[in-house]
Amino acid sequence: MSELDTLNKQYGIPGEVVFKMGPGDQPVVEVSNQSATATIVLQGAHLISWVPNGEQQVIWLSEDAKFAKGKSIRGGVPVCWPWFGPHESNKDFPAHGYARMVPWNVTEVSSAKGVTRIGFRIVQDEKAKAMWPHDCELDMVYSIGKKLGIELITRNTGKQALVIGEALHTYFEVGDVSKLKIEGLDKRPYLDKVDNFKRKQQNGAVTISEEVDRIYLESPDDCIIVDPVMQRRIHIVKQGSHSTVVWNPWIEKANQMGDLGPQGYLKMLCVESANAAEDVVEIKPGKEHCLAVNYSVEAL
Ligand code: BG6
């Protein structure tokens, strides 16, 4: 029996949860219930689409995204774990950790009241263990409905404390990034990555008219993307996250990246619920930490 047949037999729900081959011959799970549709690539447990019924796409995926074994996808919800940004001492280790590039196993599927729940656990192979030699489990649980819930749970199964950085690096689809604003970060300090990590303070809502790459610290509050072009607000409610990364590469960086698509920078905005930079999480032996988000959309 093929891997997909086995998954469909064990976890499939006909018409609602279907495992199939997706782009780049990558296995995906497609969800369709009375509230929404969604697609998750099994590598990275990487969600690439979520459309609540009657709404437009909420999650941006580059038209030039590459789907390949061991490569991260430009768009969707990449998981950054167990470090955020470059590794602190080894420049050969992948930026944002390895969780978004490796296979994950499906651990649970259930359906109730218009919400489909799908759980994943990362596969920690020898290569991963060489970069992160710690005993731990990493689970991700999606709740797909009118709202999108994501929980990223790190469990310390070893005998020593763990220190992690992490982010749900969500790319939101927007009408025109230069016309929107992001609320919820007023008065928060931030590290400005495009100005040598200078520590600054936000005044008012965040707007984008050039490359923006900032780690907002002490920012546990909800954020709202107010998008006048798509005539909607995206609400980002989060728990277990004390930093928020706002990123848009703008024109020049986007051109260098090669997989952001023509005009892609205008149509995407990353608002990442994170524990990043100096905000790391320590997890004691036998304990767990959960970074959780809940996204919803409302008409303007
Ligand atoms: C953001 C970082 O979170 O991710 C940026 O703050 C980075 O500095 C961006 O460029 C994209 O990272 P990657 O590794 O997916 O190209």
Side-chain angles (χ1 to χ4, degrees):
M1 217 191 258
S2 75
E3 184 200 352
L4 289 171
D5 289 343
T6 309
L7 284 166
N8 277 317
K9 194 157 174 237
Q10 194 173 355
Y11 295 110
I13 305 176
E16 178 170 345
V17 177
V18 177
F19 293 85
K20 59 196 280 196
M21 223 33 126
D25 279 343
Q26 294 279 322
V28 299
V29 54
E30 282 187 354
V31 176
S32 172
N33 60 31
Q34 67 198 59
S35 320
T37 61
T39 305
I40 303 167
V41 179
L42 302 197
Q43 175 173 282
H46 193 139
L47 180 132
I48 52 169
S49 168
W50 169 56
V51 186
N53 286 355
E55 308 283 352
Q56 301 180 75
Q57 177 63 260
V58 184
I59 305 295
W60 182 82
L61 176 67
S62 171
E63 50 184 276
D64 288 350
K66 296 182 182 74
F67 292 83
K69 202 166 169 242
K71 298 265 180 266
S72 76
I73 301 161
R74 183 66 62 201
V77 186
V79 179
C80 306
W81 185 96
W83 58 85
F84 180 85
H87 186 268
E88 60 176 3
S89 58
N90 192 328
K91 64 173 176 36
D92 294 331
F93 289 175
H96 291 331
Y98 56 84
R100 58 182 177 164
M101 300 162 174
V102 299
W104 293 55
N105 287 326
V106 180
T107 52
E108 58 164 289
V109 172
S110 61
S111 170
K113 296 186 184 145
V115 177
T116 309
R117 202 177 136 94
I118 307 191
F120 296 90
R121 178 166 297 169
I122 197 169
V123 177
Q124 310 247 40
D125 62 6
E126 289 313 309
K127 218 170 133 199
K129 285 227 173 90
M131 290 188 270
W132 181 248
H134 301 287
D135 294 323
C136 65
E137 287 168 357
L138 180 65
D139 285 354
M140 179 124 108
V141 183
Y142 286 100
S143 299
I144 297 152
K146 195 85 189 135
K147 294 184 175 190
L148 174 67
I150 313 176
E151 291 164 78
L152 184 68
I153 304 145
T154 309
R155 211 165 288 121
N156 186 348
T157 54
K159 294 195 164 54
Q160 271 149 22
L162 283 180
V163 176
I164 58 160
E166 57 184 345
L168 293 167
H169 191 308
T170 308
Y171 290 75
F172 291 100
E173 173 127 347
V174 298
D176 180 339
V177 79
S178 67
K179 297 204 166 85
L180 54 74
K181 61 180 177 179
I182 307 156
E183 294 174 345
L185 296 165
D186 188 24
K187 304 280 183 303
R188 300 298 175 194
Y190 67 88
L191 302 176
D192 191 347
K193 291 174 82 171
V194 293
D195 191 8
N196 217 8
F197 282 82
K198 229 184 240 168
R199 202 179 170 102
K200 301 181 179 174
Q201 188 186 285
Q202 181 63 36
N203 284 313
V206 182
T207 53
I208 317 267
S209 55
E210 58 187 342
E211 181 185 357
V212 170
D213 192 354
R214 300 175 184 169
I215 302 176
Y216 285 88
L217 302 163
E218 301 161 34
S219 60
D221 299 333
D222 304 346
C223 287
I224 303 174
I225 301 171
V226 184
D227 184 339
V229 175
M230 290 187 84
Q231 284 284 300
R232 70 182 182 186
R233 282 189 197 91
I234 301 175
H235 289 258
I236 302 167
V237 174
K238 61 180 187 156
Q239 280 160 3
S241 154
H242 290 93
S243 23
T244 310
V245 180
V246 176
W247 178 59
N248 182 284
W250 209 245
I251 303 161
E252 215 172 292
K253 205 32 126 15
N255 286 341
Q256 289 161 13
M257 288 167 62
D259 61 355
L260 215 92
Q263 303 290 299
Y265 78 99
L266 278 178
K267 296 282 169 196
M268 56 71 65
L269 172 69
C270 288
V271 179
E272 308 167 33
S273 299
N275 291 295
E278 62 202 51
D279 165 34
V280 286
V281 178
E282 185 180 298
I283 309 165
K284 298 254 173 354
K287 300 285 182 207
E288 64 179 37
H289 161 77
C290 178
L291 163 58
V293 297
N294 222 295
Y295 302 143
S296 58
V297 182
E298 177 197 33
L300 263 190

